[in-house]
Amino acid sequence: MDNKENKDLTAYDNRFHEDPTSFNDFQAADYIKELKNQDKNDEAIEVGRTFLEVAPELKRYINYFGYALYNRYINIEDEKIAENETLFFAILDEIANVCKQERYSPLEAAVNKAIKYVSKKNPVDYGKLSEILEYLDAPTLDDTPFINKEGREYESKKEKWYRMKVRALYEVKDYRNCIEQANIALTLPLKWHYNNLNWVKYYRGVSLIEVGRYEEAEHVFLELKNSFKIVNLSSVLYKLYVNTGRENDAYTYLINDFFLSGYDASNLDNYVAIAKMAHDKGVEKAEKIAAAMINKIKSNAYETELDLSEYDNESADSLFDMLYSEIMYHLERYIKREEGKVIYYNNSRNFGSILQENEDDNLFFMQADFIDDEEVRKFDVVEFSRIATYDRKKKQASTKAVLLKVLYEDINY
């Protein structure tokens, strides 16, 4: 089949130069559409801008004009955009001012191109990203997940907008608006993909901390803790408790994370916190071992006047083992310890409960939370500490026992 011949625009050209106000709605739209289709985008832009000025009553050509702008200035290589970003964003603003968010409009395509461009930069300009997102009306965006040719499902336009907007607002420290947009997102009947929902909750939580709403923030992080492994939420909770004067809760989370994580040089910040805890508690030996280990991992990462020369020949991982023993077998120096009796233990699933007098529910524990590899039995008296957690079945905050040790067996019930 032969390609369709281009329409002769001579008559339109002559009329435009003689009197652009003589065009009706159909003619104006047809003229700019044909100019655009013939890759005469510069001419289409000139005609469109003229119609905007001299014939504001004309409407049907607007999206064709917008696509001419899009083709000429927006849908180009990133290198070309970088040569004149001011022009790129000025054209984006022009498209947003004349085109509505509707079918056959170039607005969403133009905004998406701008989002991709800004998001690729390192570092990302989150202030600019937030401004770009404002060109779109989030409530009217499509909430149907996108499905590609292979049948794979991806986030919807609305889900993407809220994911990016919440992150951008947090990064620019607009915490109150971040919380507001996250609250809106969490009320929407969206089908969430990847970890998007957890990220929205996370940025809401850290923003709640920034505005001093600590109790709400704690609830957010406790709910996320076991389902969102990308972020070390134990560290987040530690900082939350430190900043709210809950020293015992902070140190319990810190030590429990130290216990569960094992040696890993990437946990340097936690080791520094351990050293500071030992310093605050006046336990010099633990501080010295921790300081020596930290400085083995990264030179001068922990400043101290203590003499660490006795550990010069030790490696970082051997110092970790020494610190582990020093902390775990003297927990009472750092955190509150309690005693209780195991009244239930499931051997096949390795969890149980400790009697709670004057409490409606007994205290939950897991075999993995025992410091030593001990065989746990019903009626064992154990020593433990408590941390706040989240009961998914009851959908409420709860507590659990951690850092457990078996003391003795007491069959007198």
Side-chain angles (χ1 to χ4, degrees):
M1 181 181 290
D2 294 332
N3 293 328
K4 183 179 179 180
E5 292 186 5
N6 289 333
K7 183 174 182 177
D8 184 358
L9 299 177
T10 303
Y12 279 154
D13 290 340
N14 291 336
R15 180 190 287 193
F16 178 77
H17 289 298
E18 291 174 4
D19 183 10
T21 64
S22 65
F23 282 75
N24 63 30
D25 229 8
F26 172 80
Q27 293 165 342
D30 188 51
Y31 186 24
I32 292 182
K33 179 179 73 172
E34 287 299 327
L35 287 170
K36 179 183 71 67
N37 289 344
Q38 293 178 31
D39 293 325
K40 298 178 180 179
N41 288 303
D42 287 340
E43 294 176 49
I45 292 167
E46 179 188 355
V47 172
R49 286 173 173 166
T50 300
F51 285 153
L52 281 172
E53 182 178 352
V54 304
E57 73 279 1
L58 301 179
K59 303 296 181 185
R60 291 181 61 177
Y61 73 90
I62 291 293
N63 284 337
Y64 297 122
F65 167 57
Y67 266 112
L69 289 167
Y70 173 80
N71 293 337
R72 177 68 176 82
Y73 296 105
I74 302 295
N75 193 28
I76 57 178
E77 297 296 325
D78 288 354
E79 292 76 12
K80 290 290 185 182
I81 297 173
E83 290 174 6
N84 195 341
E85 284 189 357
T86 301
L87 177 61
F88 174 81
F89 289 115
I91 297 299
L92 175 64
D93 191 59
E94 185 174 1
I95 292 173
N97 284 331
V98 299
C99 297
K100 297 180 181 179
Q101 186 175 307
E102 60 186 2
R103 193 177 184 186
Y104 306 123
S105 166
L107 179 59
E108 287 190 36
V111 170
N112 285 334
K113 177 65 177 181
I115 288 172
K116 288 179 182 178
Y117 175 73
V118 171
S119 298
K120 288 179 183 177
K121 299 189 77 173
N122 187 19
V124 175
D125 183 345
Y126 283 102
K128 193 65 182 178
L129 180 59
S130 184
E131 289 177 14
I132 293 168
L133 290 166
E134 283 301 314
Y135 285 124
L136 298 177
D137 179 43
T140 60
L141 287 171
D142 189 1
D143 61 3
T144 304
F146 172 74
I147 300 177
N148 67 9
K149 293 179 181 179
E150 289 74 34
R152 188 171 180 180
E153 185 174 290
Y154 295 88
E155 63 186 352
S156 66
K157 294 176 180 178
K158 185 177 290 188
E159 178 186 356
K160 178 182 178 181
W161 190 94
Y162 280 103
R163 168 179 64 83
M164 301 187 81
K165 186 66 174 179
V166 169
R167 168 76 182 274
L169 289 169
Y170 170 75
E171 295 291 351
V172 299
K173 299 181 172 25
D174 190 354
Y175 302 120
R176 295 190 185 281
N177 279 331
C178 176
I179 294 166
E180 181 180 347
Q181 291 298 334
N183 286 343
I184 293 171
L186 296 175
T187 65
L188 298 173
L190 292 174
K191 183 177 182 182
W192 293 93
H193 297 77
Y194 326 117
N195 261 313
N196 289 350
L197 178 58
N198 286 336
W199 277 117
V200 168
K201 291 178 178 179
Y202 172 77
Y203 287 117
R204 176 176 178 268
V206 288
S207 293
L208 285 167
I209 290 176
E210 294 294 338
V211 300
R213 292 160 60 178
Y214 300 113
E215 187 174 339
E216 291 177 72
E218 179 186 12
H219 184 86
V220 170
F221 295 127
L222 290 176
E223 182 183 356
L224 282 175
K225 189 172 182 297
N226 293 324
S227 60
F228 192 42
K229 303 297 185 181
I230 298 174
V231 177
N232 184 350
L233 293 177
S234 292
S235 177
V236 174
L237 285 161
Y238 163 74
K239 293 175 183 177
L240 187 157
Y241 294 141
V242 165
N243 292 328
T244 54
R246 296 167 61 181
E247 181 185 274
N248 184 70
D249 292 329
Y251 288 161
T252 304
Y253 257 103
L254 177 64
I255 293 173
N256 192 55
D257 195 43
F258 174 77
F259 162 66
L260 294 174
S261 300
Y263 175 71
D264 187 336
S266 65
N267 290 334
L268 184 63
D269 288 346
N270 277 17
Y271 301 150
V272 171
I274 288 283
K276 290 179 178 178
M277 175 189 72
H279 175 81
D280 291 343
K281 293 292 185 178
V283 187
E284 184 176 297
K285 183 177 180 180
E287 183 186 2
K288 289 173 68 174
I289 297 171
M293 178 185 70
I294 292 163
N295 291 335
K296 291 281 185 179
I297 296 171
K298 184 178 179 182
S299 180
N300 300 318
Y302 187 82
E303 295 183 5
T304 179
E305 295 181 357
L306 296 173
D307 181 7
L308 308 180
S309 59
E310 63 183 294
Y311 303 110
D312 286 348
N313 296 325
E314 299 288 345
S315 63
D317 54 349
S318 67
L319 286 166
F320 175 86
D321 292 339
M322 295 168 63
L323 181 62
Y324 181 92
S325 296
E326 184 62 27
I327 296 289
M328 291 303 152
Y329 297 108
H330 301 285
L331 288 169
E332 69 283 352
R333 296 176 177 175
Y334 309 98
I335 55 179
K336 182 180 178 180
R337 302 292 281 165
E338 302 179 49
E339 290 185 14
K341 184 184 292 187
V342 175
I343 59 168
Y344 170 76
Y345 186 70
N346 187 315
N347 288 286
S348 61
R349 302 180 68 180
N350 296 321
F351 68 79
S353 57
I354 299 169
L355 178 65
Q356 292 267 277
E357 294 184 5
N358 303 318
E359 297 286 344
D360 293 334
D361 295 318
N362 293 313
L363 191 63
F364 176 80
F365 71 86
M366 298 185 66
Q367 169 70 46
D369 290 316
F370 277 80
I371 294 171
D372 296 315
D373 187 16
E374 299 176 278
E375 181 181 350
V376 184
R377 294 186 292 264
K378 187 177 179 181
F379 303 130
D380 280 346
V381 174
V382 295
E383 182 182 84
F384 60 91
S385 295
R386 297 171 186 256
I387 61 169
T389 185
Y390 186 79
D391 189 325
R392 294 195 170 277
K393 290 183 178 180
K394 297 182 179 180
K395 295 184 177 181
Q396 63 184 29
S398 183
T399 56
K400 64 175 288 191
V402 295
L403 303 169
L404 296 100
K405 296 179 183 179
V406 174
L407 298 178
Y408 56 90
E409 183 181 25
D410 181 6
I411 61 173
N412 296 316
Y413 194 70

